[in-house]
Amino acid sequence: MKTPAQPSRQVRRAQVRQKPHAQNPDAEIQRRTDEIVAEGKAKAAAAAATITHATLTDAELAAWRQDMDQRLQRIEQNQDQNLGHIEEELARATKEPLRLLAERAAQAKANATPCQCVHCHRELSQQKFLSRRLDSRFGSLLLWRRYGWCEDCGEWQFPADHALGLGRQAPASPYLQELSALLVSKMPAEQAVLVAERLGLDLSRCFLHREAHRQGLKAEQQRAQAVAELDTWEDIQKLARYSEGPPPQPFTLVIEIDAWNIRERDDWGQTEASRKAGKKLERWHWVYLATVFRLNHRGQTAGERAVITERGFVATRQGLEALTAQLHREAIARGLGQAQQVLVIADGAVWIWNIAKERFAEARQQLDLYHADEHLWAVANDLFGRSTPEARAWVAPLLQHVRDDQTCAVIASLKELKPRLQQAEQEKLQTQIEYFENNEHRMKYKEIIDARKACDQGTATQEQIQLANQPLGSGAVESTCRQYQCRFKRTGQFWTTAGDEALLCLETLWRNARWTELYPHAKPSCALN
Ligand SMILES: [Zn+2]
């Protein structure tokens, strides 16, 4: 398509025809040029305004066919080229006709959009026609659309942009918005550039980075709306009903909570100055993470690895209050209201149990068994040297006590040991004693271990079969932490507070299978609905 911005032949002819003006020849030439450009634009705008549906002309179809034939012929003649070359060439040959169709389809949609305020639906005043360029899956598109002023809302509006899902200041089409969000939340932008290139998309690092950030902010907004559903009792009821589905079998809802740290740097270039001013620079910050699932959605692979088929995630760098609100919302959506029993599993961190007490008061609390083991191993290693036979011999009966729900015996053994140690070691041991004292009521593992044994022996009751599936530790949330860290905690990587939260939010939206709430076109069957 001819673009009205480059009427070069006409302009050149006009420039030649023009007699040099006595006063200021350059100004006269410029005036004529502007006139012709304006004329060209007006023609293009008028042509765009008439498009009601997208189609290709016979000439365009013929050109496409010829181009495709030539490409395929070259591959046929070349012995070294395989199906991969065919795939590449066909995709390239098809790009231009698809670009034309996309441009015309978007134009038809823009033309059909009433020029009304998107908030109050009032007809806009001072209507004008303006073009914009945008980047799409098939390349650059030119779009003309009406805009106008809403007297009530006091703002200029482009209703067609809104209808087409376009951002006000950003050139990305909805597909490129989604793709930027997806790629950059999975990998650093400089890698995303190369992956995008292999997908046939020429996107710069800057484009991907900016667009992904913009999408992250959109995801945060959507999350804030979701959390706001907890503001009234009616809304909570609605959310609980929404998650209900068919009446469920009695189930246990498991909530696992953990945290990991992320490195941030919001003070680029000011490090020295801040240090000199005696300011302590905090670079590491907590990202709080939780996962929620129904116990009957937890199973085992043939290799006896635990898998959870359906689960919710929460991740935030915005502090405990944010985590608590988001987690509560996720738990309600996953059936908190219908659960027969709620089980919170975590390591010994005090803040976790505070959240459990505040929001899940009825829940049973369970300390991660493997963290308890680690604490005993720490004492053993201190006393007898790292993993020595003596350390192993000392720790073995204590690990067994833990599995037998005999935490009091563990505490007694540690206390007995105390008078024999030096002052500094006594203090260290006291910390461990307190750890077991504080968590004693959360250390009930025997029933689960017995149930697993009974299952292995084939003597399990129905109740034991269910119990055997209960996790002993918080491995589900720990593996999730590791997965997030693969993206957010790479060597040499620094984040900004705004940057990491936006991407964490996108990644979580994806994991929660709510991606299509932000990108309705990503629903595979959208054309059928
Ligand atoms: Zn309005």
Side-chain angles (χ1 to χ4, degrees):
M1 253 171 73
K2 221 181 214 174
T3 58
Q6 304 156 324
S8 55
R9 203 154 17 111
Q10 273 177 303
V11 173
R12 259 184 276 128
R13 229 183 280 146
Q15 286 168 344
V16 171
R17 268 205 310 271
Q18 206 61 45
K19 280 183 195 142
H21 196 275
Q23 302 300 320
N24 188 349
D26 288 348
E28 181 56 19
I29 290 169
Q30 188 59 48
R31 191 188 62 75
R32 271 299 290 157
T33 308
D34 290 348
E35 250 177 47
I36 292 166
V37 169
E39 205 178 299
K41 268 194 177 175
K43 267 189 198 159
T50 62
I51 293 179
T52 52
H53 76 282
T55 180
L56 293 176
T57 64
D58 289 345
E60 284 162 348
L61 280 169
W64 173 24
R65 195 171 175 167
Q66 195 187 4
D67 178 47
M68 208 156 56
D69 283 348
Q70 281 172 355
R71 286 171 192 263
L72 291 176
Q73 224 167 38
R74 275 201 300 274
I75 295 171
E76 276 161 29
Q77 286 159 3
N78 196 326
Q79 295 281 319
D80 299 336
Q81 297 192 342
N82 61 25
L83 177 58
H85 296 86
I86 296 173
E87 290 171 294
E88 280 283 314
E89 287 302 314
L90 284 183
R92 265 180 225 160
T94 319
K95 205 165 170 181
E96 178 57 12
L98 290 183
R99 190 192 71 76
L100 287 173
L101 278 175
E103 186 170 79
R104 290 165 195 173
Q107 188 61 60
K109 194 121 198 151
N111 293 344
T113 307
C115 201
Q116 291 173 348
C117 173
V118 296
H119 310 299
C120 67
H121 306 293
R122 185 193 162 119
E123 183 76 13
L124 299 174
S125 65
Q126 304 176 54
Q127 290 186 15
K128 294 183 187 74
F129 217 35
L130 192 71
S131 67
R132 76 177 281 186
R133 278 226 162 258
L134 40 122
D135 293 315
S136 77
R137 184 174 186 156
F138 311 112
S140 177
L141 312 181
L142 181 76
L143 179 74
W144 287 87
R145 73 276 196 248
R146 293 210 158 276
Y147 72 103
W149 175 258
C150 178
E151 303 282 353
D152 288 351
C153 302
E155 60 180 39
W156 291 99
Q157 288 198 11
F158 292 80
D161 286 4
H162 183 80
L164 288 165
L166 302 174
R168 193 143 215 186
Q169 305 290 343
S173 69
Y175 175 79
L176 290 190
Q177 292 169 24
E178 183 210 349
L179 201 85
S180 305
L182 185 57
L183 288 176
V184 180
S185 59
K186 302 283 175 211
M187 65 185 81
E190 51 271 26
Q191 280 177 28
V193 172
L194 303 175
V195 174
E197 196 185 302
R198 289 305 307 124
L199 295 171
L201 299 163
D202 182 19
L203 306 173
S204 73
R205 183 186 173 282
C206 182
F207 176 99
L208 282 165
H209 186 77
R210 252 192 236 158
E211 196 49 45
H213 182 65
R214 226 173 60 79
Q215 296 307 311
L217 296 181
K218 227 161 79 177
E220 278 188 60
Q221 225 171 41
Q222 189 251 22
R223 185 180 65 185
Q225 276 165 11
V227 171
E229 287 169 4
L230 299 183
D231 284 353
T232 69
W233 178 246
E234 287 76 20
D235 283 342
I236 294 180
Q237 290 300 301
K238 218 160 67 190
L239 181 64
R241 268 200 300 278
Y242 164 77
S243 65
E244 215 165 328
Q249 299 286 322
F251 65 89
T252 297
L253 191 74
V254 182
I255 300 173
E256 298 186 11
I257 310 171
D258 204 355
W260 50 279
N261 50 24
I262 195 165
R263 193 158 57 154
E264 284 175 5
R265 194 167 188 181
D266 275 324
D267 52 359
W268 291 98
Q270 298 160 34
T271 312
E272 266 317 295
S274 305
R275 281 217 177 106
K276 272 184 195 154
K279 223 169 102 188
K280 199 166 164 267
L281 297 171
E282 283 297 337
R283 289 281 158 77
W284 291 97
H285 301 273
W286 289 110
V287 173
Y288 297 114
L289 209 137
T291 185
V292 186
F293 56 90
R294 297 182 183 193
L295 199 54
N296 53 330
H297 289 153
R298 183 179 185 270
Q300 277 188 343
T301 62
E304 300 204 340
R305 197 168 56 84
V307 282
I308 301 160
T309 51
E310 246 179 75
R311 60 197 281 211
F313 298 91
V314 172
T316 184
R317 146 78 181 93
Q318 287 172 341
L320 286 176
E321 208 177 309
L323 169 79
T324 310
Q326 290 168 29
L327 175 57
H328 194 193
R329 198 249 173 232
E330 194 58 38
I332 291 174
R334 301 274 164 185
L336 180 67
Q338 297 90 11
Q340 192 185 39
Q341 184 188 213
V342 181
L343 175 64
V344 178
I345 311 178
D347 63 25
V350 175
W351 60 267
I352 293 179
W353 304 120
N354 286 341
I355 292 178
K357 210 167 81 186
E358 186 194 326
R359 291 292 170 115
F360 312 108
E362 306 291 309
R364 199 156 68 73
Q365 301 181 356
Q366 183 181 306
L367 181 76
D368 172 89
L369 170 64
Y370 310 101
H371 272 84
D373 286 355
E374 271 174 33
H375 282 256
L376 288 174
W377 271 107
V379 179
N381 290 337
D382 272 356
L383 288 175
F384 304 103
R386 198 162 196 80
S387 303
T388 54
E390 291 81 2
R392 245 174 275 159
W394 180 83
V395 85
L398 296 183
L399 297 179
Q400 192 52 51
H401 284 328
V402 169
R403 282 153 180 76
D404 291 338
D405 294 354
Q406 297 295 314
T407 313
C408 51
V410 174
I411 296 169
S413 297
L414 295 178
K415 281 185 172 166
E416 208 175 285
L417 193 67
K418 208 175 150 187
R420 289 189 262 149
L421 300 177
Q422 304 282 331
Q423 177 70 23
E425 281 161 346
Q426 277 195 11
E427 277 167 27
K428 256 168 110 180
L429 186 64
Q430 183 55 34
T431 320
Q432 301 293 13
I433 292 171
E434 280 165 20
Y435 175 83
F436 286 103
E437 282 176 342
N438 291 338
N439 286 300
E440 193 178 351
H441 63 291
R442 303 186 180 110
M443 298 175 66
K444 301 275 179 279
Y445 310 109
K446 190 169 188 304
E447 252 190 346
I448 303 173
I449 294 169
D450 286 349
R452 290 184 182 183
K453 272 188 204 148
C455 283
D456 287 345
Q457 288 160 2
T459 60
T461 62
Q462 200 52 39
E463 199 186 339
Q464 279 181 314
I465 291 171
Q466 280 179 16
L467 204 57
N469 194 29
Q470 226 167 81
L472 290 165
S474 51
V477 77
E478 280 160 34
S479 69
T480 308
C481 284
R482 277 194 296 278
Q483 288 163 19
Y484 272 83
Q485 286 173 41
C486 287
R487 169 67 186 102
F488 292 91
K489 210 169 167 179
R490 294 184 181 217
T491 318
Q493 203 172 33
F494 276 104
W495 293 88
T496 62
T497 310
D500 56 24
E501 186 68 13
L503 282 193
L504 279 171
C505 197
L506 278 176
E507 175 62 22
T508 308
L509 192 76
W510 173 266
R511 283 172 176 270
N512 282 331
R514 299 212 181 100
W515 195 246
T516 53
E517 289 176 20
L518 221 51
Y519 307 108
H521 64 260
K523 232 182 226 169
S525 57
C526 63
L528 303 172
N529 293 336

